Amino acid sequence: MGRPRKSLLDQKRIAATALEIVDETGDFTMPELARRLGVQTASLYHHVDGRSGVVELLRARIGEEMPEDYSPDGQHWETALRELGRLYRASFAAHPHLVPLLTGQPVRAPKVLVVYERIVTLMESAGFPLSMIMTAFTAFENFLIGSALDLAAPEVMWEIPDDIQTPRLAAALAAQPGGRSRADQAFEFGLDLLIDGYRRVLDSTARSEG
Amino acid sequence: MGRPRKSLLDQKRIAATALEIVDETGDFTMPELARRLGVQTASLYHHVDGRSGVVELLRARIGEEMPEDYSPDGQHWETALRELGRLYRASFAAHPHLVPLLTGQPVRAPKVLVVYERIVTLMESAGFPLSMIMTAFTAFENFLIGSALDLAAPEVMWEIPDDIQTPRLAAALAAQPGGRSRADQAFEFGLDLLIDGYRRVLDSTARSEG
């Protein structure tokens, strides 16, 4: 209604529509995205740097689902990593199909790079050796990504058909918490193990330097 | 050439074709799968229990990519979990788009349930309390799934544009190993932390029972 079409095609709308397609179909193509936006594919390229540019918009958008005031500055590293872990897991769990797209190309989104800068600064201040920081944080992220997919998974994740004999699995399943607690408890268990491990690494680094 | 069409439509061929489509497009639909197999969608349903049946075929197929003789029986739990972890990561890394499909529905594939039965039996023999086994193994799987996606990720995973100031991130990236070692080192680091954590849990369980 009187609004020129081109104002409708901004990066925010492109990201929102691409995310819709990914959530529904598992991936997106540029022609699909253009069709759903009601524009020519060529027009899309005036607004984004190709398909990988759209994926970076999606990466930034997922980052925005974290509270805007999230900042690890001034927090103890353990508190900051636990809080980041919980937010990260929840944001990715809402869009499981997006996960392989984001892990499949390099991080270039400025807003997201700034979050990594803060994390590296935090870990460096805590005493992690510089050469270990990306390795240690990537291990943590790997756990968060898997935990996000598990949070998006069904509450009952193993269904044993009547004709299959797996009695110890059945007993272990009966002994685990039900509902959403299944995934939450596994996440908290792994989070504790990893944070404990980081503390030990830090302690032994401090001892060898002291 | 004289071979009746229906012999061409077995579960093995259905799974192989579905995996091709998932690898190429990120997901699959039953009409797409039928089209690529050259059959009517209705014919597919004579061979598989719907879309979720196809996903279970894919789950079993990924399981088959592990060496057939993989069996944790008789191994020390640490050795068995480390070996399983390495095989699991490599198998999933070859098909990153399959990951959200497999985590998105309950495990029903008999061959895969039998692997879980072996893992539960192994962990129970090692002394893990029954009520902790699924929780502890799910935390481990979450890490493996994320690590598989990281193995499938580009070797250079962060690209800082010239106009972005993230000096500590740049320093941390320069200090991490390059090439495939980037992902391998993060995996081995997290694997060590988790296995160490399990050992501590086992030790404290043994002490509290002893």
Side-chain angles (χ1 to χ4, degrees):
Chain A
M1 293 284 290
R3 233 176 139 189
R5 169 168 284 190
K6 77 171 184 169
S7 81
L8 291 178
L9 196 61
D10 58 18
Q11 293 197 331
K12 195 170 165 183
R13 187 159 164 250
I14 292 171
T17 306
L19 189 56
E20 265 176 32
I21 301 175
V22 171
D23 285 344
E24 288 167 22
T25 71
D27 203 340
F28 74 95
T29 63
M30 295 297 273
E32 242 180 316
L33 178 54
R35 201 158 47 240
R36 179 126 16 151
L37 285 161
V39 301
Q40 298 293 319
T41 306
S43 314
L44 260 185
Y45 287 86
H46 294 303
H47 296 268
V48 290
D49 188 10
R51 180 183 148 83
S52 73
V54 177
V55 172
E56 287 311 285
L57 291 182
L58 294 178
R59 196 192 301 280
R61 196 192 146 103
I62 287 292
E64 281 165 13
E65 293 192 2
M66 297 190 184
E68 262 198 45
D69 57 354
Y70 173 73
S71 161
D73 306 334
Q75 280 187 316
H76 189 275
W77 69 268
E78 284 195 32
T79 315
L81 285 190
R82 282 178 186 277
E83 189 180 333
L84 176 73
R86 294 201 177 94
L87 294 170
Y88 191 120
R89 171 179 175 250
S91 303
F92 277 76
H95 307 286
H97 283 290
L98 187 55
V99 170
L101 299 192
L102 297 186
T103 58
Q105 75 174 38
V107 181
R108 288 189 209 97
K111 281 182 185 174
V112 176
L113 290 168
V114 167
V115 174
Y116 281 101
E117 175 75 2
R118 286 182 178 164
I119 294 164
V120 171
T121 305
L122 173 90
M123 291 178 74
E124 217 176 354
S125 308
F128 287 93
L130 188 63
S131 64
M132 187 191 285
I133 289 179
M134 292 312 295
T135 296
F137 190 71
T138 300
F140 189 60
E141 258 192 313
N142 291 350
F143 171 69
L144 298 179
I145 284 171
S147 298
L149 291 171
D150 188 44
L151 177 57
E155 294 189 346
V156 174
M157 193 57 202
W158 290 267
E159 288 181 5
I160 308 175
D162 286 342
D163 55 341
I164 302 297
Q165 297 301 316
T166 51
R168 299 323 300 156
L169 174 60
L173 289 172
Q176 80 170 158
R180 181 177 151 149
S181 302
R182 180 192 71 72
D184 285 348
Q185 190 164 306
F187 171 63
E188 296 292 337
F189 184 92
L191 187 62
D192 283 346
L193 252 49
L194 289 174
I195 297 280
D196 279 1
Y198 290 145
R199 201 185 305 116
R200 287 171 203 286
V201 166
L202 268 186
D203 288 350
S204 72
T205 304
R207 268 199 306 278
S208 69
E209 284 176 354
Chain B
M1 293 290 287
R3 229 173 143 196
R5 166 167 286 191
K6 75 170 184 172
S7 80
L8 292 178
L9 196 61
D10 59 19
Q11 293 197 330
K12 195 170 167 185
R13 187 159 165 251
I14 292 171
T17 306
L19 189 56
E20 264 176 33
I21 301 175
V22 170
D23 285 344
E24 287 167 23
T25 73
D27 203 341
F28 75 95
T29 64
M30 294 297 274
E32 242 180 316
L33 179 56
R35 200 158 48 240
R36 179 128 11 154
L37 285 162
V39 301
Q40 298 294 317
T41 306
S43 314
L44 260 185
Y45 287 87
H46 294 302
H47 295 269
V48 290
D49 188 10
R51 181 182 147 82
S52 72
V54 176
V55 173
E56 287 312 286
L57 291 183
L58 294 178
R59 196 191 302 280
R61 196 192 145 102
I62 287 291
E64 281 165 13
E65 293 192 3
M66 297 191 185
E68 262 197 44
D69 57 354
Y70 173 73
S71 160
D73 308 334
Q75 280 187 313
H76 189 274
W77 70 268
E78 285 194 32
T79 315
L81 285 190
R82 281 178 187 277
E83 189 180 334
L84 176 74
R86 295 202 176 93
L87 295 170
Y88 190 118
R89 171 179 175 250
S91 304
F92 277 76
H95 307 286
H97 284 290
L98 187 55
V99 171
L101 300 191
L102 298 187
T103 58
Q105 74 173 37
V107 182
R108 287 191 209 95
K111 281 183 187 173
V112 177
L113 290 168
V114 167
V115 174
Y116 281 101
E117 174 76 3
R118 285 182 179 164
I119 293 163
V120 170
T121 305
L122 172 90
M123 291 179 75
E124 215 175 357
S125 308
F128 286 94
L130 188 63
S131 63
M132 187 191 284
I133 289 179
M134 292 313 294
T135 297
F137 190 71
T138 300
F140 190 62
E141 259 193 312
N142 291 350
F143 171 69
L144 298 179
I145 284 171
S147 300
L149 292 171
D150 189 43
L151 177 57
E155 293 188 348
V156 174
M157 192 57 201
W158 288 268
E159 286 180 7
I160 308 176
D162 286 341
D163 56 340
I164 302 297
Q165 296 303 316
T166 52
R168 299 325 299 157
L169 174 59
L173 289 172
Q176 80 171 157
R180 179 174 154 151
S181 303
R182 181 193 70 74
D184 286 348
Q185 191 165 306
F187 171 64
E188 296 293 336
F189 184 93
L191 187 63
D192 284 346
L193 252 48
L194 288 174
I195 297 280
D196 280 0
Y198 289 146
R199 199 184 308 114
R200 285 170 204 286
V201 165
L202 268 185
D203 288 350
S204 71
T205 304
R207 269 200 306 277
S208 70
E209 283 176 356

